[in-house]
Amino acid sequence: MAVLPIVILGDPVLHSPAARVGSATDEIRSLVADMYETMDAAPGVGLAAPQVGVPLRIFVYSYEDDEGAPWRGVVIDPELWITPPEPGRPDPNEESEGCLSFPGERFPLRRADRALVTGTDLEGAPVRLEVGGWRARILQHEFDHLDGILYVDRIGDADAKTAAKLVRKRGWGVPGQSWMPGVDDLDA
């Protein structure tokens, strides 16, 4: 397994819909193993294939609940259903999220409290995840990556202006930029 470079906001692969996978091959299994290693090294709670420069509909996730119970897996060719988000502004203390492709920052974002994701695993077996709270947020965030949407594309106007300033300041608005988890210092 290998840690892969994570592409930054300006890369075109992050802004285009990813292609369906179909059945998992040895190459896909190797990619998924590398994605787990990269997600863990970052550290992150999810990672979509486009974030490592691969335009395929795959994401991995890993999260421990408040009791320390692990929740970890892969979804290939996922479909997503959500409940409508509650109207109103997001609570910055309870609803802020970050992204490995926009490293070092967090912005408030209202998401649906419930989500259902279906797809397949590496063996072709059906996957069905029906979750709430942070787990629902993780699934929505990773699914967005597969459609070419970053969480900063969804944040409110004032935060979007701040994010745009950070992109200009850090020079992230160009293709080909990436960072290596465990190697690069992201305290920009």
Side-chain angles (χ1 to χ4, degrees):
M1 292 193 308
V3 173
L4 303 170
I6 297 174
V7 295
I8 302 289
L9 177 84
D11 198 287
V13 73
L14 293 174
H15 304 284
S16 300
R20 290 187 57 80
V21 175
S23 55
T25 62
D26 287 342
E27 185 177 75
I28 295 296
R29 286 180 185 81
S30 178
L31 170 64
V32 168
D34 291 346
M35 288 173 62
Y36 277 124
E37 189 166 335
T38 303
M39 175 183 60
D40 293 342
V45 295
L47 185 69
Q51 292 182 273
V52 294
V54 179
L56 294 174
R57 297 188 76 77
I58 304 169
F59 68 77
V60 296
Y61 59 90
S62 184
Y63 180 74
E64 284 189 8
D65 65 17
D66 292 338
E67 289 78 43
W71 181 66
R72 188 172 174 93
V74 59
V75 185
I76 297 171
D77 295 333
E79 296 291 335
L80 171 72
W81 292 267
I82 59 173
T83 59
E86 292 290 324
R89 292 187 181 187
D91 180 335
N93 296 318
E94 299 292 324
E95 297 177 286
S96 288
E97 63 187 69
C99 181
L100 298 177
S101 291
F102 197 94
E105 302 299 328
R106 295 181 65 79
F107 292 101
L109 176 61
R110 177 68 40 99
R111 296 264 192 195
D113 191 52
R114 305 272 325 147
L116 167 64
V117 167
T118 61
T120 60
D121 65 14
L122 288 173
E123 308 313 315
V127 171
R128 179 183 170 92
L129 303 167
E130 192 167 354
V131 295
W134 277 101
R135 291 178 180 186
R137 178 176 295 275
I138 292 165
L139 296 180
Q140 291 169 78
H141 181 108
E142 298 312 323
F143 187 86
D144 272 354
H145 279 297
L146 305 181
D147 285 339
I149 300 168
L150 277 76
Y151 91 108
V152 292
D153 297 332
R154 296 190 181 275
I155 59 179
D157 290 343
D159 291 324
K161 287 179 184 176
T162 301
K165 287 178 187 176
L166 288 168
V167 168
R168 284 190 301 276
K169 177 182 174 186
R170 295 177 181 163
W172 287 350
V174 296
Q177 294 203 355
S178 64
W179 66 278
M180 284 296 291
V183 176
D184 293 330
D185 180 14
L186 295 176
D187 295 331

